[in-house]
C-alpha cells in the first residue's frame, strides 16, 4: 500500500458513514420545512460542521440550525432583558407544536425541546442515550450583515456570524480539493492531543482555516500545519474568525495543545523525510504515531535508521476540568 493509499484508508476511518450523513441531512430538512413555514420566521438554515461538511464519524450525533425571526413580529427582541429567554421559549414552543413526538402537527420527531443559553436543544432520542441525536436550534435576528442571538444567562443578545465560516471553508475547499478531508483528519487528531479537558472541534477547524496550506501533498500540508498551528497556539488564543465572538475556547489548555502540535510536527517532518528517501514503511509508521491505530500499519518492517527518532511524549496529567 502506497502512502497515498494509506491516507485514503485512514480517511475512511475518520469520515462519517454516508447513511449517517443522509439521515442527519433529512432531519435538518424536516426542521427547515416545518419552522420555515411559520409566519414570523424569515429563514432557516443549517450551520455547524454538518453544513460545512467538516463532521467526522463514526456516528453523527447532532446538527445546528439558525432560525431567523422577523423583528417586526417580535418588537423588543434584540434588547437587554427578558427578550433573550422569551426568544428561546418561543422557538421551543414552535418545535413542540410542529415536531413534538406526541402531538407534532408536521412530524412526530422531538421528545424534548429544552431552551439552553443560546439555542433550544431538541432531543430526538432520550437524553440519557449515549448514541442519541440532538438538534440545536438557535433563534436569531438579522443585524448589520450578521446576526443577533439571545444569551439567556446574561439576559442579553450578542453578535455572531456563523455564515462567515461557512463561506470561508467553502472558498478554501474550492482552492484545494483536500481541504475538507484534511480538516476532518485534524478534528480526529485533536482527540489524541495531551491536554487538560478537551479541544473543541471548532478550534481545530479555525486553525486549519488559517494554517493548513493548499496546493501541497497531504503529508506536506499536514507537516506545515502542525508547525504553524503550534506557533499560533503558543502565541495567543484562537479567535472567532468573523471577529465578533472573541476567543473560541477561553479555558483551552493552550500549553498542552501547543506541545502536542509540536510533537506531531516533529513526527510529520520525519515522516516526510522518510517518504522522500523512499522509506514508505518508515513514513507510515511515523504517521501512525501521529494519528493512532486507525492509520494503516506498515506492511514491511520499518528500518531502524538513526533518522527515525520518535519524540518521547510524557503524558500530561488529565484533570476533569470544564471547557468553554
Amino acid at each position: 500500500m502506497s502512502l497515498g493509499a494509506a491516507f485514503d484508508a485512514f480517511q475512511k476511518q475518520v469520515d462519517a458513514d454516508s447513511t449517517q450523513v443522509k439521515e442527519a441531512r433529512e432531519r435538518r430538512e424536516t426542521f427547515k420545512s416545518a419552522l420555515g413555514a411559520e409566519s414570523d420566521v424569515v429563514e432557516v438554515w443549517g450551520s455547524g460542521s454538518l453544513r460545512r461538511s467538516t463532521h467526522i464519524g463514526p456516528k453523527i450525533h447532532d446538527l445546528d440550525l439558525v432560525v431567523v425571526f422577523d423583528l417586526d413580529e417580535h418588537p423588543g427582541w434584540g434588547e437587554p432583558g427578558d427578550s433573550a429567554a422569551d426568544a428561546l421559549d418561543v422557538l421551543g414552543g414552535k418545535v413542540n407544536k410542529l415536531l413534538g413526538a406526541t402531538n407534532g402537527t408536521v412530524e412526530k420527531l422531538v421528545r424534548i425541546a429544552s431552551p439552553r443559553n443560546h439555542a433550544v436543544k431538541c432531543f430526538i432520542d432520550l437524553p440519557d442515550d449515549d448514541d442519541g441525536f440532538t438538534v440545536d436550534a438557535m433563534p436569531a435576528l438579522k443585524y448589520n450583515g450578521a446576526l443577533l442571538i439571545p444569551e439567556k444567562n446574561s439576559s442579553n443578545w450578542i453578535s455572531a456570524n456563523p455564515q462567515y465560516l461557512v463561506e470561508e471553508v467553502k472558498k478554501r475547499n474550492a482552492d484545494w480539493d483536500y481541504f475538507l478531508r484534511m480538516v476532518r483528519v485534524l478534528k480526529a487528531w485533536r482527540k489524541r492531543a495531551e491536554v487538560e479537558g478537551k479541544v473543541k472541534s471548532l478550534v481545530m477547524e479555525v486553525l486549519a482555516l488559517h494554517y493548513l496550506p493548499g496546493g501541497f501533498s497531504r503529508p506536506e500540508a499536514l507537516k506545515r500545519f502542525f508547525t504553524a498551528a503550534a506557533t499560533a497556539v503558543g502565541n495567543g488564543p484562537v479567535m472567532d474568525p468573523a471577529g465578533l465572538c472573541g476567543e473560541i475556547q477561553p479555558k483551552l489548555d493552550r500549553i498542552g495543545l501547543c506541545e502536542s502540535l509540536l510533537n506531531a510536527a516533529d513526527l510529520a517532518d520525519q515522516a516526510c523525510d522518510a517518504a522522500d528517501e523512499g522509506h514508505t514503511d518508515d513514513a507510515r509508521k511515523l504517521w501512525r504515531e501521529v494519528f493512532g491505530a486507525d492509520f494503516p500499519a506498515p506492511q514491511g518492517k520499518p528500518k531502524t535508521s538513526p533518522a527515525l527518532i520518535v519524540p518521547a511524549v510524557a503524558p500530561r496529567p488529565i484533570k476533569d476540568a470544564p471547557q468553554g
Side-chain angles (χ1 to χ4, degrees):
M1 180 186 287
S2 68
L3 194 55
F7 269 95
D8 290 341
F10 179 53
Q11 190 75 54
K12 291 179 181 177
Q13 298 296 316
V14 169
D15 292 349
D17 183 84
S18 60
T19 57
Q20 293 275 317
V21 177
K22 181 174 182 290
E23 182 181 50
R25 287 174 174 164
E26 288 174 349
R27 286 172 169 170
R28 182 176 65 190
E29 292 308 307
T30 298
F31 272 73
K32 288 173 65 176
S33 297
L35 294 169
E38 292 291 282
S39 60
D40 58 345
V41 172
V42 177
E43 59 182 337
V44 184
W45 41 272
S47 62
S49 59
L50 184 67
R51 169 66 185 276
R52 298 188 296 272
S53 297
T54 56
H55 52 276
I56 60 174
K59 187 170 183 178
I60 296 177
H61 291 282
D62 54 34
L63 64 86
D64 299 293
L65 280 177
V66 176
V67 183
V68 181
F69 281 86
D70 184 350
L71 182 56
D72 291 338
E73 298 290 333
H74 297 281
W77 282 18
E79 299 175 2
D82 294 338
S83 67
D86 182 48
L88 291 159
D89 289 340
V90 167
L91 180 53
K94 288 181 181 294
V95 170
N96 277 322
K97 178 188 73 173
L98 301 168
L99 300 168
T102 303
N103 299 311
T105 56
V106 174
E107 187 166 328
K108 294 176 175 53
L109 181 65
V110 178
R111 293 174 181 268
I112 299 172
S114 176
R116 302 296 173 89
N117 191 28
H118 295 297
V120 178
K121 185 168 285 294
C122 306
F123 293 87
I124 307 298
D125 302 292
L126 292 173
D128 58 355
D129 186 342
D130 291 338
D131 285 329
F133 191 94
T134 61
V135 176
D136 284 345
M138 183 174 69
L141 301 169
K142 287 189 174 180
Y143 177 73
N144 284 347
L147 298 175
L148 278 179
I149 62 175
E151 190 170 75
K152 185 177 180 180
N153 292 347
S154 66
S155 297
N156 212 335
W157 293 68
I158 61 174
S159 299
N161 190 0
Q163 191 68 30
Y164 179 86
L165 184 56
V166 172
E167 295 301 322
E168 291 302 304
V169 168
K170 187 185 300 181
K171 290 177 189 174
R172 290 298 312 278
N173 198 56
D175 291 338
W176 186 45
D177 188 47
Y178 281 114
F179 181 74
L180 287 177
R181 280 173 277 186
M182 290 300 96
V183 170
R184 294 196 289 268
V185 163
L186 291 171
K187 289 172 76 168
W189 172 85
R190 87 185 197 281
K191 298 176 182 177
R192 294 177 56 78
E194 296 281 351
V195 299
E196 294 186 9
K198 65 180 181 180
V199 181
K200 285 187 174 181
S201 63
L202 185 59
V203 167
M204 296 307 300
E205 192 166 335
V206 172
L207 286 173
L209 182 69
H210 293 311
Y211 304 110
L212 180 64
F216 294 96
S217 67
R218 286 171 285 182
E220 181 68 22
L222 289 169
K223 181 188 79 173
R224 292 175 183 240
F225 166 82
F226 284 126
T227 302
T231 301
V233 170
N235 288 340
V238 182
M239 308 295 286
D240 167 32
L244 294 175
C245 298
E247 187 173 359
I248 292 174
Q249 189 176 350
K251 295 182 180 179
L252 172 66
D253 176 8
R254 289 199 294 116
I255 294 174
L257 179 57
C258 180
E259 290 177 354
S260 294
L261 287 165
L262 284 172
N263 287 330
D266 286 342
L267 290 164
D269 189 47
Q270 293 181 61
C272 287
D273 286 348
D276 288 344
E277 294 170 5
H279 303 313
T280 302
D281 285 335
D282 286 349
R284 282 174 54 177
K285 180 179 184 300
L286 287 158
W287 284 117
R288 190 175 166 89
E289 292 286 337
V290 174
F291 292 118
D294 283 341
F295 195 91
Q299 292 172 308
K301 184 178 180 181
K303 297 180 182 302
T304 55
S305 70
L308 188 59
I309 301 171
V310 179
V313 181
R316 291 175 56 80
I318 304 299
K319 299 178 181 177
D320 184 17
Q323 297 293 314

